[in-house]
Amino acid sequence: MKKLRKNDKGFTLVELIVVLVILALLAAILVPALLGYIDKAKKEKNYQAAQEVHTAVQALATESYGKGNTTPTMKLADIKDLAGIDDLAEVIVKWKNTDDNVKTKFQVDEMSVKFTSDSSNVYYTYKKSGTGNKYSWQSETESSVKGDTIPASK
């Protein structure tokens, strides 16, 4: 019997189970950490896209004012083209009328942006934070901005 045992090659069942348990533990530790990074990256991408939308809305408002309009006129397609963002679902803007000493009379006071690619239907909202002229982006499930919804077309 000892002769047969010497020629056996391979792993025992216990060794294979130990290896599988170690791999399962590593997967249990790594998968949640990696998913957290993926979610954080998606959220950051949407914040960056929302900032691009903000810049596009302000540029279109300035152009509208330059043409002599008394209210900002733009449509969602214009914002998509200027910002270079195709998955824009909705933009809500609260305008701040300023005095005539500035180059545009229409400035974005607060704004909410929603994307079609975001399955959680989150609004990325640009709001004043604290005192002074500090603004920040935050995500919320419903838009808290009470303003004009930019129409899809005019």
Side-chain angles (χ1 to χ4, degrees):
M1 271 231 204
K2 285 189 179 185
K3 278 187 178 179
L4 291 175
R5 211 126 159 95
K6 270 188 182 179
N7 292 335
D8 286 344
K9 294 182 180 177
F11 298 105
T12 65
L13 182 61
V14 172
E15 290 171 330
L16 290 173
I17 290 174
V18 168
V19 169
L20 288 174
V21 167
I22 291 171
L23 289 174
L25 287 173
L26 287 174
I29 293 169
L30 291 176
V31 168
L34 292 176
L35 288 177
Y37 285 119
I38 291 169
D39 291 341
K40 185 177 177 183
K42 285 179 183 177
K43 194 172 188 180
E44 185 61 32
K45 177 189 108 17
N46 285 341
Y47 279 131
Q48 295 296 327
Q51 287 177 328
E52 291 292 327
V53 170
H54 175 264
T55 303
V57 166
Q58 191 62 63
L60 290 168
T62 302
E63 181 182 356
S64 181
Y65 179 70
K67 291 179 179 176
N69 295 322
T70 56
T71 58
T73 57
M74 64 190 77
K75 50 190 175 180
L76 207 54
D78 297 337
I79 299 169
K80 285 180 181 182
D81 290 342
L82 192 56
I85 297 167
D86 295 328
D87 66 338
L88 196 56
E90 185 177 19
V91 177
I92 302 170
V93 180
K94 179 181 172 191
W95 299 102
K96 172 173 59 174
N97 284 330
T98 60
D99 58 19
D100 290 330
N101 295 330
V102 292
K103 292 181 178 158
T104 179
K105 196 168 184 161
F106 314 116
Q107 287 187 336
V108 175
D109 189 29
E110 296 177 353
M111 185 175 84
S112 284
V113 178
K114 186 164 83 170
F115 300 100
T116 57
S117 64
D118 195 352
S119 59
S120 57
N121 288 324
V122 172
Y123 283 90
Y124 294 88
T125 302
Y126 175 78
K127 281 193 156 199
K128 200 166 194 172
S129 61
T131 58
N133 288 328
K134 294 183 181 177
Y135 286 82
S136 66
W137 287 96
Q138 60 195 28
S139 57
E140 46 193 26
T141 54
E142 291 184 22
S143 174
S144 61
V145 175
K146 306 296 183 230
D148 301 328
T149 300
I150 305 297
S153 63
K154 278 192 175 181

